Amino acid sequence: MNPTSPSEIRPGLTVRGFTPPLHLHDFKLIAFDMDSTLINIECVDEIADAAGRKAEVAAITEAAMRGEITDYKESLRQRVALLKGVTVAHMQQVYDQRLQLNPGAAELVAACQAAGLKTLLVSGGFTFFTDRIRDRLGLDFTRSNVLDVQDGVLTGRMVDQPWGDICDGAEKRRMLLETCAQLGIEPRQAIAMGDGANDLPMMGAAGLSVAYHAKPAVRAQAMVAIDSGGLDRLLEVVQAD
């Protein structure tokens, strides 16, 4: 198959560069973006709603995910600054009342775990949410950003971590490769799923790249594009044995 020519094998499910089916046992790791991939919302936008700034923050998020803002770190700093004054209680409300796993997320994770794959959650979002999703799904590894909190209130800043300042596209790719090295596997044995421009670096490093209800630039470069249905539609392409 011509790698540049996508083929819709079923409605809303497109592949390029290979002929399905592949098999889960050929892979050892699956890496997920969180916001709008594993879960249904962009957490930063919903936190901003508590500050009355959702429209402003969401516009920056959309431009960043479409690849129209090239400096992801600066775009995230701008958005986090607008969260100043939001309480941790408001973030908990976002988690309890607005955040849901996307359709098929739990099923896909369970199938991968049953096949022996390790699971990685890499997000430009925040540990407040990634830690909860990690525990909820039993994921093995995470990397995301830490919001600075003083007396239960966001300061509008993030906290530097031992690995760096912000989890952007380059850090997602580095974490994928670092996890592969830690597991003693090749990057070609990894699957990477995402929806935004900051997912492209890790998707490009993985053996199989999957776009989930993604922005046009991401869909155009992915080996698998899921445009309708849940994340578990990947199992129509990469079969569990």
Side-chain angles (χ1 to χ4, degrees):
M1 181 188 296
N2 184 338
T4 62
S5 300
S7 173
E8 187 173 56
I9 60 170
R10 293 176 185 170
L13 186 63
T14 302
V15 303
R16 75 175 73 229
F18 70 97
T19 301
L22 301 176
H23 299 277
L24 276 181
H25 67 243
D26 292 326
F27 298 94
K28 301 298 181 184
L29 173 70
I30 184 164
F32 297 96
D33 169 52
M34 183 176 70
D35 296 68
S36 297
T37 300
L38 205 56
I39 66 173
N40 64 319
I41 59 172
E42 293 286 337
C43 290
V44 67
D45 297 355
E46 300 306 319
I47 300 169
D49 197 23
R53 293 170 175 160
K54 182 174 181 178
E56 185 177 356
V57 169
I60 301 172
T61 300
E62 177 68 13
M65 292 303 99
R66 293 180 69 89
E68 296 162 2
I69 295 176
T70 55
D71 189 341
Y72 178 85
K73 288 188 177 185
E74 184 55 33
S75 82
L76 187 59
R77 289 189 188 99
Q78 290 174 7
R79 285 175 282 166
V80 170
L82 293 169
L83 305 181
K84 184 177 180 179
V86 174
T87 67
V88 171
H90 278 123
M91 291 201 294
Q92 187 65 47
Q93 285 181 358
V94 170
Y95 181 78
D96 292 337
Q97 300 174 14
R98 303 190 185 189
L99 185 152
Q100 298 176 16
L101 295 175
N102 268 328
E107 291 81 359
L108 176 59
V109 168
C112 290
Q113 291 169 333
L117 280 73
K118 295 296 185 181
T119 49
L120 167 65
L121 178 58
V122 276
S123 174
F126 311 114
T127 53
F128 183 90
F129 299 101
T130 57
D131 287 355
R132 286 161 172 77
I133 296 300
R134 175 200 63 203
D135 295 345
R136 187 167 167 180
L137 292 173
L139 305 178
D140 296 296
F141 310 100
T142 63
R143 179 147 294 177
S144 58
N145 302 302
V146 179
L147 291 167
D148 186 47
V149 178
Q150 300 291 334
D151 299 321
V153 178
L154 300 187
T155 66
R157 298 186 300 272
M158 287 172 284
V159 180
D160 287 354
Q161 299 181 73
W163 48 263
D165 55 353
I166 289 175
C167 186
D168 61 354
E171 181 59 30
K172 287 188 176 193
R173 180 181 186 276
R174 196 180 78 79
M175 183 59 178
L176 175 77
L177 296 176
E178 180 183 293
T179 305
C180 287
Q182 181 180 339
L183 295 173
I185 65 173
E186 297 296 326
R188 61 181 171 79
Q189 295 173 287
I191 302 169
M193 297 188 72
D195 73 297
N198 64 328
D199 297 315
L200 285 172
M202 75 165 178
M203 291 169 66
L208 185 69
S209 56
V210 185
Y212 179 72
H213 293 230
K215 305 304 181 188
V218 181
R219 189 186 308 118
Q221 296 184 48
M223 297 170 68
V224 179
I226 301 170
D227 296 323
S228 66
L231 279 90
D232 55 343
R233 293 205 69 189
L234 180 60
L235 299 175
E236 299 174 35
V237 177
V238 187
Q239 295 180 355
D241 295 325

